[in-house]
Amino acid sequence: MAAGALSEPSVPQLPGLDRFEGRAFHSARWDHTFDMSGERVAVIGTGASAVQFVPEVQKRAARLYLFQRTPAWVMPRPDGAIPPWRRRMYGRIPGVQRAVRLLIYLYREIWIVVFRHPAMMARVQRMALRHLRRSIEDPILRSKLTPAYLMGCKRVLLSNDYYPALTQPNVEVVTEPIVEVCARSIVTADGAERPVDAIVFGTGFRVTDPPLAARIHGRDGRTLKETWAGSPKAHVGTAVAGFPNLFILLGPNTGLGHNSVVYMTEGQIDHLIAALGHMRAHRIDAIEPTADAQRSFVSGVDRRMRGTVWVSGGCSSWYLDRTGRNSTLWPDSSWSYHRRAARFVAAEYIRAPGVAAAVDVA
């Protein structure tokens, strides 16, 4: 099961959206046939996707309305060009490039300490405030873009051109809630009506309720969605009790807020390969984690999650499922997860009846 956590778009059910006569699409399903040049475009959402495409939309649209529910913390992106001399050095001395990559990884890995200690994050937050002050001179706009929660509670965004784009004369940041979408306009709670030709949703993804979970059936016939009951759980974030031979890449509690999830996925693949090796060696057709092993792993994750900025930062984020539990992120270093996932412990698994988890492909 490798559908990815950020794959199924989440689109809000706005009153009147079905009557809108212009173009409307989610950023993950971009309508490349639509030319935004000279158009009035409404962007709904201000998350990680929006900070990437808003500056580009601003350059093309005649008018851009950015509808913001909650502002995000934005940090400068260290994204300078690699000079020719360094590229030559990398080509001649490959070990130097590997060392630089290791330093980048270690730098990112250190951030887990900050995320786990809100008092430290409060001090780091000053860097983001400086970035905001330097980028936005208008005090009214700056106030709109200043979050009221601790940095890190929601995903921290990296951008050098998002703030400058919002200062352009063809952009308006709207913080009033949307109450209705009309045929060619959007109405907000203050009664204002703004004419728009297109709506782009930057409203994230269905992370904690993936549609695919409703199509995976376990040993007892129940779906993964029914078993999870709104709060995804898996042993080592990879296998689920009652679902023989089901392995998930980037499963529950394997996302990261500080480093690359590629390393997490590699640990899960190692776990899967080791499981297959065990099955082959012992001539086993189907295995699944024990309920006790899964419960112990999940409780350990929840214990380490307590006190982190993700659950105590004063916000409601897409990291949290409908029960209020953070079932999205790994609350420790990526190195510690990789080490744990790569180790297959046979005692944590049971030999299941020879019927693997089934996928409804209808």
Side-chain angles (χ1 to χ4, degrees), residues 64-356:
L64 169 59
Y65 299 107
L66 179 62
F67 290 87
Q68 172 187 274
R69 183 177 62 179
T70 308
W73 285 108
V74 182
M75 293 280 282
R77 175 182 288 279
D79 196 25
I82 299 176
W85 66 266
R86 187 184 294 179
R87 280 180 281 171
R88 288 194 297 269
M89 180 176 64
Y90 288 163
R92 294 169 185 168
I93 316 173
V96 174
Q97 188 177 35
R98 286 193 293 271
V100 171
R101 288 175 63 87
L102 176 61
L103 289 174
I104 293 173
Y105 169 77
L106 292 175
Y107 168 73
R108 298 304 311 171
E109 195 75 339
I110 290 172
W111 276 86
I112 187 61
V113 179
V114 180
F115 281 101
R116 291 189 63 174
H117 298 87
M120 295 180 66
M121 181 62 80
R123 290 194 288 270
V124 175
Q125 184 173 289
R126 297 169 190 165
M127 298 168 57
L129 286 172
R130 283 198 298 270
H131 180 50
L132 176 60
R133 286 195 297 268
R134 291 169 180 168
S135 304
I136 307 294
E137 293 184 1
D138 179 6
I140 297 177
L141 178 58
R142 192 190 312 139
S143 177
K144 289 182 178 181
L145 298 173
T146 302
Y149 57 88
L150 188 61
M151 189 171 83
C153 185
K154 290 177 178 282
R155 188 172 179 180
V156 178
L157 310 181
L158 301 176
S159 178
N160 296 326
D161 53 4
Y162 177 66
Y163 282 155
L166 302 187
T167 66
Q168 301 307 306
N170 65 330
V171 178
E172 179 185 358
V173 176
V174 183
T175 57
E176 288 289 329
I178 296 173
V179 296
E180 184 182 10
V181 178
C182 300
R184 284 284 176 178
S185 63
I186 293 179
V187 181
T188 49
D190 59 354
E193 184 173 3
R194 295 171 175 83
V196 297
D197 303 303
I199 300 174
V200 182
F201 291 98
T203 44
F205 301 86
R206 294 177 60 179
V207 178
T208 59
D209 65 331
L212 186 58
R215 308 179 75 172
I216 307 293
H217 298 263
R219 263 191 301 110
D220 61 1
R222 290 199 308 162
T223 65
L224 194 57
K225 179 179 180 179
E226 291 170 330
T227 299
W228 280 346
S231 188
K233 299 180 178 71
H235 181 51
V236 199
T238 304
V240 182
F243 288 76
N245 291 0
L246 173 67
F247 293 87
I248 308 171
L249 296 186
L250 285 184
N253 290 116
T254 60
L256 293 177
H258 69 287
N259 216 328
S260 172
V261 293
V262 174
Y263 192 46
M264 305 289 280
T265 303
E266 290 171 345
Q268 293 177 303
I269 292 172
D270 288 344
H271 191 85
L272 168 58
I273 292 173
L276 292 173
H278 172 80
M279 295 170 68
R280 183 178 293 117
H282 295 83
R283 308 178 74 85
I284 300 173
D285 292 328
I287 64 170
E288 64 180 80
T290 67
D292 285 343
Q294 178 173 303
R295 194 158 37 242
S296 176
F297 177 82
V298 172
S299 64
V301 169
D302 291 344
R303 186 171 56 253
R304 277 174 284 182
M305 189 71 71
R306 292 188 203 117
T308 65
V309 67
W310 299 303
V311 295
S312 62
C315 75
S316 176
S317 73
W318 57 265
Y319 298 146
L320 307 180
D321 57 40
R322 73 185 192 201
T323 71
R325 176 177 171 270
N326 190 327
S327 55
T328 303
L329 298 181
W330 173 249
D332 211 329
S333 67
S334 63
W335 174 81
S336 68
Y337 175 80
H338 189 281
R339 182 183 62 175
R340 175 63 185 89
R343 187 178 76 255
F344 177 81
V345 182
E348 297 174 345
Y349 282 81
I350 59 173
R351 183 169 187 161
V355 179

Side-chain angles (χ1 to χ4, degrees), residues 15-60:
L17 181 60
D18 58 336
R19 300 193 302 271
F20 183 63
E21 296 178 355
R23 300 288 186 97
F25 52 89
H26 191 278
S27 62
R29 303 289 187 269
W30 199 272
D31 184 353
H32 293 280
T33 66
F34 177 57
D35 183 5
M36 294 186 175
S37 302
E39 301 288 344
R40 298 164 299 185
V41 180
V43 171
I44 299 177
T46 54
S49 297
V51 299
Q52 297 174 70
F53 69 75
V54 161
E56 299 305 316
V57 173
Q58 180 274 317
K59 296 174 186 176
R60 295 166 173 77

